[in-house]
Amino acid sequence: MSESSKGSSLAFGQVVIGPPGSGKTTYCHGMQEFMGRIGRKVTVVNLDPANEAMPYQCAVDIAELITLPDVMENLKLGPNGGLIYCMEYLEANFDWLQEKLAAFRGHYYLFDCPGQVELYTHHDALKNVFAQLAKWNFRLAAVHLVDSHYCTDPGKFISVLCTSLSTMLHVELPHVNVLSKMDLIEQYGKLAFNLDYYTEVLDLSYLVDHLASDPFFRNYRRLNEKLVEVIEDYSLVSFVPLNVQDKESMRQVMQAVDKANGYSFGDQEHRSLEALMSAAVGADFHFTSTLAVQEKYVQSQDKAVAEEVMDL
């Protein structure tokens, strides 16, 4: 995997990013198991120096290089400053990472990244790490996880859209935004619109109008309108719904990522022409996956209403 060997084979993978609690480690564990069952050799690389309890089989662990508790104790830094220092230290020790990854040639890589949002919107250390991996012939896609409960709050959802857009522009990788924990969405409250409104990020003026019904947000309508204009002008953000417990949901996310990083167009797995064309077009599976989740959500809502009526 030397920089000078242009003829070296390509390596494919995902960098799993997102805010704390969005389910990155759970996703890596689930995707490792799922891909293993379909015959892929998967290597999980932990790049989170604060990640101590890992449910997955970790082949490469940044803890062998540096850990957040050690940095905080020795340099008297807080958690945020400590994470930034760790990522800068990793950037300064590319040779360590290259040596570790070289032992897993021919594998598919899952990079479990830290949860500090600033690392993906402002700071350059992780961005430079991803760029260096690209020089080593890694073809990566960023999988940005967002907790689905933000859909139940219009104000938070606009904030999530802004963060997702900023991350896409800063990281500069093929990008797949994922609404995680879809199996729990009915616990967070009733959605103002159908699920496809949120996954496809449809006309956001309706969201601004919905916000205006709240006395607090009414005073910030003009600000929200401008934020929405920026999101719609770029027209880059959309989401794939994910339930890690659902094999079909995992398959659809994997298909989206394979299309983004180019894996689906290679010869690593036997594919029929129909499967290849489906990945190339990619127009129908988003709708299908959203429709399936929407049906489950509506059924749970109907069941809840029926139970309330029975109680009365």
Side-chain angles (χ1 to χ4, degrees), residues 36-103:
R37 288 172 184 165
I38 64 174
R40 292 193 196 180
K41 296 179 180 178
V42 181
T43 293
V44 182
V45 181
N46 176 44
L47 294 183
D48 185 356
N51 199 353
E52 297 178 347
M54 293 170 288
Y56 50 72
Q57 295 179 355
C58 182
V60 180
D61 190 356
I62 193 176
E64 298 177 18
L65 178 69
I66 191 170
T67 65
L68 181 60
D70 288 343
V71 169
M72 292 174 63
E73 180 180 353
N74 295 324
L75 300 181
K76 308 304 179 185
L77 293 173
N80 291 338
L83 271 174
I84 290 176
Y85 180 88
C86 289
M87 293 302 100
E88 291 176 343
Y89 192 81
L90 175 63
E91 182 185 3
N93 289 273
F94 280 140
D95 54 341
W96 173 86
L97 183 61
Q98 185 176 16
E99 181 182 348
K100 290 293 184 180
L101 295 177

Side-chain angles (χ1 to χ4, degrees), residues 138-160:
F138 277 78
R139 297 297 177 262
L140 302 173
V143 179
H144 183 221
L145 298 182
V146 174
D147 198 318
S148 61
H149 87 267
Y150 290 120
C151 295
T152 60
D153 187 318
K156 290 181 179 178
F157 187 66
I158 290 178
S159 175
V160 162

Side-chain angles (χ1 to χ4, degrees), residues 102-147:
F104 301 96
R105 292 179 184 272
H107 286 216
Y108 187 99
Y109 297 84
L110 296 173
F111 294 89
D112 188 2
C113 299
Q116 188 178 357
V117 176
E118 292 85 351
L119 291 172
Y120 315 114
T121 58
H122 298 85
H123 202 261
D124 286 337
L126 261 182
K127 173 184 175 182
N128 294 338
V129 170
F130 300 155
Q132 184 62 47
L133 288 170
K135 293 179 181 178
W136 294 338
N137 279 335
F138 277 78
R139 297 297 177 262
L140 302 173
V143 179
H144 183 221
L145 298 182
V146 174
D147 198 318

Side-chain angles (χ1 to χ4, degrees), residues 19-280:
S22 57
K24 296 184 294 298
T25 298
T26 301
Y27 171 86
C28 288
H29 184 208
M31 190 58 75
Q32 181 187 44
E33 290 187 344
F34 183 80
M35 288 185 171
R37 288 172 184 165
I38 64 174
R40 292 193 196 180
K41 296 179 180 178
V42 181
T43 293
V44 182
V45 181
N46 176 44
L47 294 183
D48 185 356
N51 199 353
E52 297 178 347
M54 293 170 288
Y56 50 72
Q57 295 179 355
C58 182
V60 180
D61 190 356
I62 193 176
E64 298 177 18
L65 178 69
I66 191 170
T67 65
L68 181 60
D70 288 343
V71 169
M72 292 174 63
E73 180 180 353
N74 295 324
L75 300 181
K76 308 304 179 185
L77 293 173
N80 291 338
L83 271 174
I84 290 176
Y85 180 88
C86 289
M87 293 302 100
E88 291 176 343
Y89 192 81
L90 175 63
E91 182 185 3
N93 289 273
F94 280 140
D95 54 341
W96 173 86
L97 183 61
Q98 185 176 16
E99 181 182 348
K100 290 293 184 180
L101 295 177
F104 301 96
R105 292 179 184 272
H107 286 216
Y108 187 99
Y109 297 84
L110 296 173
F111 294 89
D112 188 2
C113 299
Q116 188 178 357
V117 176
E118 292 85 351
L119 291 172
Y120 315 114
T121 58
H122 298 85
H123 202 261
D124 286 337
L126 261 182
K127 173 184 175 182
N128 294 338
V129 170
F130 300 155
Q132 184 62 47
L133 288 170
K135 293 179 181 178
W136 294 338
N137 279 335
F138 277 78
R139 297 297 177 262
L140 302 173
V143 179
H144 183 221
L145 298 182
V146 174
D147 198 318
S148 61
H149 87 267
Y150 290 120
C151 295
T152 60
D153 187 318
K156 290 181 179 178
F157 187 66
I158 290 178
S159 175
V160 162
L161 291 174
C162 292
T163 302
S164 299
L165 177 60
S166 178
T167 301
M168 294 175 76
L169 296 175
H170 184 74
V171 172
E172 296 181 348
L173 283 176
H175 213 88
V176 177
N177 292 303
V178 175
L179 283 176
S180 62
K181 306 180 185 179
M182 289 304 301
D183 52 319
L184 303 177
I185 190 170
E186 65 269 11
Q187 299 179 12
Y188 300 131
K190 187 174 178 59
L191 297 178
F193 307 99
N194 286 338
L195 187 61
D196 61 341
Y197 177 87
Y198 300 93
T199 57
E200 300 302 321
V201 189
L202 302 177
D203 188 350
L204 294 177
S205 62
Y206 292 104
L207 204 63
V208 175
D209 292 338
H210 188 74
L211 271 174
S213 62
D214 187 317
F216 176 80
F217 286 105
R218 191 177 301 141
N219 297 327
Y220 301 97
R221 181 185 181 106
R222 191 166 175 77
L223 172 62
N224 288 323
E225 286 176 345
K226 293 302 180 183
L227 291 174
V228 163
E229 282 182 18
V230 172
I231 296 165
E232 292 184 330
D233 285 346
Y234 277 96
S235 190
L236 291 174
V237 185
S238 62
F239 296 94
V240 181
L242 171 66
N243 173 7
V244 175
Q245 308 300 326
D246 186 353
K247 292 180 181 178
E248 180 61 20
S249 178
M250 291 290 286
R251 184 191 69 81
Q252 288 162 346
V253 171
M254 184 187 72
Q255 185 179 8
V257 178
D258 284 351
K259 179 186 172 186
N261 64 16
Y263 185 91
S264 59
F265 304 106
D267 57 359
Q268 287 77 5
E269 294 171 357
H270 175 72
R271 298 174 183 81
S272 64
L273 179 60
E274 181 181 355
L276 184 61
M277 290 303 294
S278 176

